[in-house]
Amino acid sequence: MTYSLIGRCARTGQFGCAAATSSLAVGSRVPFAAAGIGAVLTQHRTDPRLGPRGLELLRQGCSAEETLAALVASTPHHGWRQIAVMDRHGRTAQFDGAHVKPARAAVHAPDCIAMGNILANETVPAAMADAFARSSGEPLAERLMRAMEAGEAAGGEGRPVTSAALLVVEREIFPLVDLRVDSAPESIPALRALWNEYRPLAEVFVMRAVEPETAPIA
């Protein structure tokens, strides 16, 4: 019951994920990303252990395909998993277990992979990837938000979405953006409002960490 995507900004080197679902706390269970390394999505019957495991494989130099193969091999319950990986070069890989419920689909595109399960229809990931591509001049977080809005407009999932998340990493060990909405009947519009409010502050909060003497007061 989840639709999500990984995106990369070739200009800044940022990696990011966005996800939405009708169950609680999607941001703590599905998207994982590390600066300069890549990103992993793990969903359907979600196993959050696969996210950190995948990032460690990417950190060791594995490609997206190698990382995905190792993740699938590492879990005896891979039939219930839907996984996507992007490595530091923007290469993507994706897996649907045999028990992942329809409608399900995945789309690979330049600097992007979008996927979903128990969708309203199979066009949702394609709509997300298209919106991501059409907003190439925007910051990565904005591109990911537009992709999620396009996925919702294309039908989203079969149930009302109540949880959404936006995650972007750039240079630091902590995220540039990490926003989450839970238990909200209009979670994607709520996430949009959070991102609009946070957008002018993202770099300010980084400066507070690395250059506190000169950081502006928000």
Side-chain angles (χ1 to χ4, degrees), residues 150-208:
E152 182 180 45
E157 67 164 272
R159 301 181 187 179
V161 169
T162 61
S163 178
L166 177 65
L167 174 66
V168 174
V169 296
E170 187 175 30
R171 299 178 300 272
E172 308 299 333
I173 194 170
F174 57 86
L176 177 67
V177 180
D178 188 358
L179 302 176
R180 305 176 185 186
V181 173
D182 286 302
S183 196
E186 298 290 335
S187 62
I188 291 179
L191 187 63
R192 159 59 73 185
L194 274 180
W195 163 237
N196 288 348
E197 183 177 357
Y198 192 82
R199 181 171 178 169
L201 301 175
E203 293 293 346
V204 173
F205 290 140
V206 174
M207 288 185 66
R208 287 185 180 184

Side-chain angles (χ1 to χ4, degrees), residues 78-124:
H78 57 261
W80 295 100
R81 313 304 184 194
Q82 188 178 51
I83 308 167
V85 180
M86 178 181 287
D87 64 28
R88 69 186 71 207
H89 302 293
R91 298 172 298 196
T92 57
Q94 193 270 340
F95 172 78
D96 284 338
H99 304 308
V100 175
K101 295 181 180 179
R104 68 188 193 193
V107 172
H108 300 253
D111 292 322
C112 173
I113 180 168
M115 68 176 182
N117 61 80
I118 316 182
L119 298 169
N121 60 75
E122 295 180 356
T123 71
V124 172

Side-chain angles (χ1 to χ4, degrees), residues 15-172:
F15 289 94
C17 310
T21 187
S22 58
S23 60
L24 193 63
V26 70
S28 69
R29 298 181 290 110
V30 170
F32 297 85
I37 301 300
V40 178
L41 296 167
T42 169
Q43 57 194 46
H44 194 254
R45 299 285 175 91
T46 311
D47 183 353
R49 297 172 297 181
L50 300 180
R53 191 180 302 167
L55 292 179
E56 183 56 32
L57 289 164
L58 292 171
R59 192 173 283 112
Q60 293 171 9
C62 293
S63 69
E65 287 283 357
E66 291 166 340
T67 297
L68 182 69
L71 290 178
V72 173
S74 74
T75 172
H77 305 296
H78 57 261
W80 295 100
R81 313 304 184 194
Q82 188 178 51
I83 308 167
V85 180
M86 178 181 287
D87 64 28
R88 69 186 71 207
H89 302 293
R91 298 172 298 196
T92 57
Q94 193 270 340
F95 172 78
D96 284 338
H99 304 308
V100 175
K101 295 181 180 179
R104 68 188 193 193
V107 172
H108 300 253
D111 292 322
C112 173
I113 180 168
M115 68 176 182
N117 61 80
I118 316 182
L119 298 169
N121 60 75
E122 295 180 356
T123 71
V124 172
M128 296 165 69
D130 181 62
F132 184 86
R134 286 187 287 103
S135 56
S136 60
E138 295 289 340
L140 181 60
E142 175 64 23
R143 299 178 71 187
L144 294 168
M145 266 311 320
R146 292 189 187 187
M148 295 306 296
E149 290 165 340
E152 182 180 45
E157 67 164 272
R159 301 181 187 179
V161 169
T162 61
S163 178
L166 177 65
L167 174 66
V168 174
V169 296
E170 187 175 30
R171 299 178 300 272
E172 308 299 333

